[in-house]
Amino acid sequence: MSELIVKRNDKDWYKDLIIYQVYPMSFMDGNNDGIGDLRGIISKLPYLKELGINAIWLSPIYRSPFVDNGYDISDYRDIDPRFGTMDDFDEYVNECHKLGIYVIMDLVVNHTSDKHPWFVASSASRDNEFSDYYIWRDEPNNWAGAFGGSAWEYSEKRGQYYLHTFSKGQPDLNWKNERVQHEVLDMISWWCGKGVDGFRVDAISYLDKADFDYSPNPVDVSGYAFALDINSNRPGTHRLISMLRTQGFDKFNAMSVGEVCCYTPEDNYNYSSDSRKEFNMAIPFVPPVLEIETWSPLNMKKQIKESYEVLKEDGWWARFLSNHDKPRQVSLYGDDKNYRELSAKFLATITELLPGTPFIFQGEEIGMTNVYYDSIDDYNDIDMKNMYELERMKGKSDEDAFRFAQSISRDNARSPMQWNDSINGGFSLTRPWLNSNPNYKEINVEKEEKSSDSILSYYKELIALRRNSYTLRRGLFEFMDFDSPYLFSYKRYTKDDEYLILGNFSKDKVIAEYDINGYKPVLKNYNKNYSKKIASMEPYEVVVLERM
Ligand code: NOJ
Ligand code: CA
């Protein structure tokens, strides 16, 4: 066993990261205006250090009108005043580095905000310095934006339509224009110059667009087909990403993880193989509604196995179960009512000990759950609000449309971090921009810190285990009992070392048959003795055993 030191100059340094995602609006409010900010984050760095993570990915903190909570940027080189100042950011970088924590920023370059000066100029006339920075047409086609309605919006001033794959406040940049490419490369260098160590690259599989005459069969009631589907994963996009890698990230050995649309393991390979020189790894985007409808432990195992086979020689994985676009993992995959603690620990083990770089989304380490606000007005998410209207248009009752929208709402993950049982969960003294989940009285960091049995304590042990074992970080992987719909068990091994991670991914007690003679337990979520054999497993039981 040797304590992990990640060398920033190593080619594969990103493989040893344990990344914590901070959603800045909801992490910690430093000035009590109800919105999370950089000073708040800085004040909690010791907490994150103690957790054992070694990198933080910040969702966007750039200047933005906040149509899509910061994923609509109006100045790529400034900090939004609600989060603080550039001095606060510099201090944040310094403090992180002092603690051995790497700094990862969100890079949102498929689109800007419609308030970005490039777009303001571009929409003013057809012939100015920026007129070709976006995608303009005289007539729209039948493509739909990701948040509902046409993907085209008319600009009176220019007398043309612009394309927006997301909301109309997020016009798509024209990546065919080399000046746009250079702007982005310059911006990457600029942030790396400020000490940024890597990027999570937003919605990046749609840079190159299909032929505009292409109007495929409608997929929704209003006659639209999704621009997202039509423009995914085109060869031109892969070429652009590879350009960003070689002329951008690689100059600084910056880590990169692309958020991409992946239908197959081969799609994932194309983005994250080492030899193709695109990203270091990919976050495959699956719409929450699809995930909720189709997931099962067995499907999850199948996907993991397929992807392992395709990427094991020449690729790497971003390992996560939740983020700011998904329901809370303990609510979606676990049981947040009867087995919250056990299932949260079970799920944590999946993320940390499968091959790949683990991503922890804020609050997951204390088992935070989905929110259930009373009315649509209590919600903020633009995607959810559009979905609510769409479901009503399709004929659902208000109540049914609301329940549906509630289940997929991205606000489930965005409610404020629960630090203690004081007002607003200790996040802010002012009513937060999005209400705290009332369960903060029972579920909060302070309470978790007091118990050696808590989810948080389990996370700390789990992360330490990973940090201390080369085999768990880089070793080979193999499922055991692959066909079982309940058991979720696997091995991690090298020639000198072996771990068994044995688990029951269900609410029922199940029969199992494991010979564990010669292995010792190093982490478990039930207070049980393990020796020689395991004949059954309790709900969400998981145990990590090391060969003696
Ligand atoms: C993916 C981001 O994670 C999501 O929050 C955002 O709405 C879209 N990309 C558009 O930027
Ligand atoms: Ca604030």
Side-chain angles (χ1 to χ4, degrees):
M1 284 218 187
S2 61
E3 171 61 8
L4 171 66
I5 297 169
V6 183
K7 296 205 192 91
R8 177 70 168 74
N9 293 329
D10 280 359
K11 179 177 148 297
D12 284 346
W13 72 284
Y14 60 89
K15 294 186 177 171
D16 288 332
L17 296 181
I18 298 154
I19 302 177
Y20 187 93
Q21 182 191 353
V22 164
Y23 194 69
M25 287 184 86
S26 307
F27 193 59
M28 182 64 200
D29 183 7
N31 63 353
N32 289 307
D33 64 354
I35 304 174
D37 48 47
L38 279 163
R39 301 237 60 92
I41 300 171
I42 294 170
S43 73
K44 295 297 184 186
L45 289 177
Y47 163 77
L48 295 176
K49 175 72 188 164
E50 174 84 20
L51 180 60
I53 57 99
N54 55 14
I56 298 173
W57 149 31
L58 288 185
S59 280
I61 53 169
Y62 313 93
R63 194 177 276 272
S64 162
F66 271 70
V67 169
D68 186 19
N69 287 4
Y71 283 92
D72 48 318
I73 298 172
S74 55
D75 187 341
Y76 283 117
R77 300 185 194 212
D78 201 2
I79 303 295
D80 195 273
R82 73 194 80 199
F83 295 127
T85 63
M86 195 54 86
D87 285 344
D88 293 331
F89 178 76
D90 292 336
E91 187 179 329
Y92 165 76
V93 174
N94 254 321
E95 291 303 310
C96 281
H97 286 166
K98 268 197 238 158
L99 294 171
I101 295 175
Y102 292 108
V103 174
I104 296 164
M105 294 287 271
D106 223 302
L107 190 70
V108 188
V109 291
N110 173 70
H111 45 268
T112 68
S113 157
D114 62 345
K115 301 291 179 304
H116 194 292
W118 299 340
F119 187 78
V120 175
S122 194
S123 54
S125 72
R126 297 187 193 194
D127 130 50
N128 67 68
E129 226 193 310
F130 298 97
S131 44
D132 219 13
Y133 267 47
Y134 296 84
I135 298 169
W136 295 95
R137 287 289 176 280
D138 293 336
E139 293 297 331
N141 57 19
N142 79 333
W143 298 358
F147 300 145
S150 171
W152 298 92
E153 184 72 14
Y154 189 65
S155 156
E156 295 280 345
K157 269 198 191 150
R158 177 154 165 158
Q160 277 186 312
Y161 292 83
Y162 66 88
L163 178 70
H164 58 87
T165 298
F166 295 90
S167 77
K168 65 180 184 206
Q170 294 164 294
D172 283 45
L173 282 163
N174 174 16
W175 277 82
K176 290 209 169 29
N177 182 344
E178 283 186 13
R179 287 187 52 207
V180 167
Q181 300 175 18
H182 286 127
E183 298 269 15
V184 172
L185 286 172
D186 284 353
M187 192 250 292
I188 292 172
S189 304
W190 191 79
W191 284 102
C192 287
K194 289 184 83 62
V196 168
D197 301 293
F199 299 91
R200 175 269 188 191
V201 190
D202 183 69
I204 198 67
S205 40
Y206 325 104
L207 296 184
D208 184 50
K209 312 297 183 208
D211 189 346
F212 292 91
D213 296 336
Y214 179 60
S215 289
N217 293 332
V219 293
D220 85 359
V221 281
S222 358
Y224 289 124
F226 280 108
L228 282 181
D229 295 336
I230 296 162
N231 296 315
S232 278
N233 307 338
R234 295 169 56 79
T237 296
H238 284 289
R239 283 193 292 275
L240 286 165
I241 292 172
S242 164
M243 180 280 293
L244 286 178
R245 165 81 178 261
T246 49
Q247 296 179 44
F249 310 135
D250 273 0
K251 291 195 173 155
F252 305 89
N253 199 28
M255 164 277 194
S256 62
V257 47
E259 187 218 20
V260 296
C261 190
C262 277
Y263 301 109
T264 64
E266 287 69 28
D267 285 339
N268 192 344
Y269 174 87
N270 288 341
Y271 286 110
S272 39
S273 79
D274 209 24
S275 53
R276 285 177 58 100
K277 290 228 170 301
E278 295 192 20
F279 295 116
N280 295 139
M281 55 191 140
I283 295 178
F285 182 80
V286 181
V289 62
L290 199 72
E291 183 74 7
I292 292 170
E293 282 165 3
T294 62
W295 91 272
S296 73
L298 195 55
N299 278 349
M300 218 187 242
K301 285 200 283 188
K302 282 187 187 148
Q303 279 167 9
I304 293 166
K305 187 174 175 184
E306 277 174 19
S307 153
Y308 184 70
E309 289 310 320
V310 176
L311 275 91
K312 66 182 178 193
E313 304 289 332
D314 179 32
W316 196 248
W317 308 264
R319 193 64 66 190
F320 66 98
L321 289 172
S322 56
N323 60 41
H324 65 291
D325 292 330
K326 283 169 65 88
R328 283 285 176 184
Q329 66 188 44
V330 71
S331 302
L332 174 54
Y333 306 111
D335 180 340
D336 64 3
K337 299 200 174 52
N338 304 310
Y339 296 106
R340 191 182 65 86
E341 295 207 4
L342 286 164
S343 62
K345 291 173 185 175
F346 177 90
L347 296 169
T349 320
I350 293 189
T351 318
E352 294 301 319
L353 301 188
L354 282 171
T357 295
F359 286 66
I360 300 171
F361 179 65
Q362 68 180 42
E364 169 189 320
E365 76 278 19
I366 57 168
M368 277 176 64
T369 63
N370 280 355
V371 290
Y372 299 95
Y373 303 133
D374 294 334
S375 118
I376 189 80
D377 300 329
D378 295 330
Y379 285 84
N380 168 277
D381 176 19
I382 177 179
D383 193 20
M384 168 199 195
K385 299 213 167 184
N386 281 318
M387 202 69 91
Y388 173 68
E389 292 308 333
L390 206 66
E391 292 299 307
R392 287 192 340 166
M393 267 167 55
K394 282 192 206 159
K396 272 198 185 154
S397 71
D398 287 6
E399 175 68 16
D400 287 352
F402 179 55
R403 292 288 161 237
F404 172 75
Q406 208 177 29
S407 72
I408 54 121
S409 173
R410 302 186 296 176
D411 292 333
N412 283 317
R414 299 178 182 186
S415 69
M417 183 72 185
Q418 296 167 201
W419 295 103
N420 56 43
D421 65 4
S422 70
I423 185 162
N424 305 318
F427 164 75
S428 177
L429 294 175
T430 310
R431 183 172 175 187
W433 66 279
L434 182 68
N435 286 337
S436 300
N437 191 327
N439 68 15
Y440 70 76
K441 296 259 181 222
E442 290 81 47
I443 303 174
N444 62 64
V445 169
E446 202 173 283
K447 185 166 168 204
E448 293 278 309
E449 278 175 333
K450 288 190 185 129
S451 154
S452 58
D453 240 9
S454 66
I455 302 171
L456 182 62
S457 300
Y458 185 89
Y459 263 87
K460 288 182 188 169
E461 284 181 61
L462 185 58
I463 292 171
L465 195 63
R466 180 184 178 90
R467 289 181 72 113
N468 289 327
S469 162
Y470 179 84
T471 303
L472 289 173
R473 293 195 309 276
R474 306 278 194 106
L476 297 170
F477 157 80
E478 195 183 309
F479 269 121
M480 301 161 72
D481 287 316
F482 180 71
D483 295 324
S484 162
Y486 312 110
L487 295 171
F488 200 100
S489 303
Y490 50 98
K491 285 180 195 169
R492 298 297 312 268
Y493 60 99
T494 55
K495 63 180 182 354
D496 332 292
D497 218 3
E498 183 180 275
Y499 289 85
L500 305 181
I501 295 101
L502 308 179
N504 170 14
F505 200 159
S506 83
K507 298 178 207 274
D508 299 309
K509 181 169 179 157
V510 300
I511 307 286
E513 205 180 313
Y514 294 119
D515 179 356
I516 54 168
N517 206 4
Y519 292 84
K520 63 166 195 273
V522 288
L523 190 66
K524 54 190 180 181
N525 66 349
Y526 272 80
N527 191 7
K528 247 185 163 180
N529 287 325
Y530 292 91
S531 73
K532 301 221 164 78
K533 278 194 168 26
I534 294 179
S536 64
M537 298 197 86
E538 301 296 323
Y540 298 107
E541 178 176 348
V542 63
V543 55
V544 184
L545 300 135
E546 186 183 1
R547 196 175 62 204
M548 290 190 279

